[in-house]
Amino acid sequence: MRDVPSLLSMLATPEPPKPVMMPWDYVRLRRKSARLSIAEVARPYWHRPEHQADVERNVAGLEHPGVRGQWNVNLSRAMPFSADVYRQLADLPPEQHPRLCTGCGWDEFTSQYDTNGDDVTWSRENEALCTRCEQIAAREAR
Ligand SMILES: [Zn+2]
């Protein structure tokens, strides 16, 4: 008889669940990575002072858990941000989400520089991270 793994042995070693990045996580990670405040992200989107508070409230709301922007969310005038990625996170089930850096929300179609000024790519050591986040983590570990 062939040696087949029992169902129980397969159940004993479950794959750890992959963290799911939600649209509000994406907005927050992109903003933190760019080291911008809510007000700084909102600034390119209002022109009259009486609109400032509304725009800042809308930007802040996008980081609130459970909020999926209904309008065409695009914060790329303020920071590295993909409107396509945002829509995919907001509208598609997690298994169809694009691959994103869990440290900063970077996707491979968005230009970003690492701490050496080189183009960011995927870390070879940790597939969840981009090279910029890998460099920052290595620096903080020292
Ligand atoms: Zn990253």
Side-chain angles (χ1 to χ4, degrees):
M1 202 169 133
R2 282 190 325 187
D3 191 20
V4 260
S6 75
L7 185 57
L8 272 179
S9 76
M10 291 160 71
L11 289 173
T13 55
E15 286 277 309
K18 271 178 68 179
V20 176
M21 192 176 303
M22 300 309 288
W24 47 91
D25 299 322
Y26 179 65
V27 174
R28 182 180 41 81
L29 286 177
R30 293 278 69 197
R31 182 176 65 76
K32 295 282 185 188
S33 171
R35 297 177 181 188
L36 297 173
S37 66
I38 297 279
E40 289 167 322
V41 171
R43 185 60 193 92
Y45 299 96
W46 59 268
H47 304 287
R48 295 162 164 258
E50 62 267 31
H51 295 156
Q52 177 179 356
D54 262 353
V55 174
E56 290 177 0
R57 196 167 32 249
N58 285 337
V59 169
L62 292 173
E63 296 187 10
H64 195 269
V67 170
R68 289 174 165 82
Q70 296 300 306
W71 35 287
N72 189 18
V73 176
N74 190 346
L75 300 173
S76 65
R77 276 154 68 186
M79 60 183 178
F81 184 92
S82 166
D84 289 340
V85 165
Y86 183 87
R87 275 283 42 104
Q88 290 171 56
L89 298 180
D91 298 341
L92 299 177
E95 64 271 18
Q96 292 177 34
H97 286 182
R99 182 183 178 191
L100 299 173
C101 172
T102 57
C104 71
W106 173 75
D107 69 277
E108 62 196 21
F109 302 106
T110 298
S111 290
Q112 178 168 295
Y113 296 108
D114 67 17
T115 59
N116 299 323
D118 297 321
D119 284 325
V120 159
T121 185
W122 293 110
S123 162
R124 289 186 189 183
E125 311 297 321
N126 183 344
E127 67 178 21
L129 295 180
C130 72
T131 47
R132 180 171 180 268
C133 288
E134 179 183 43
Q135 291 164 351
I136 291 169
R139 189 186 305 154
E140 287 172 355
R142 267 188 246 139

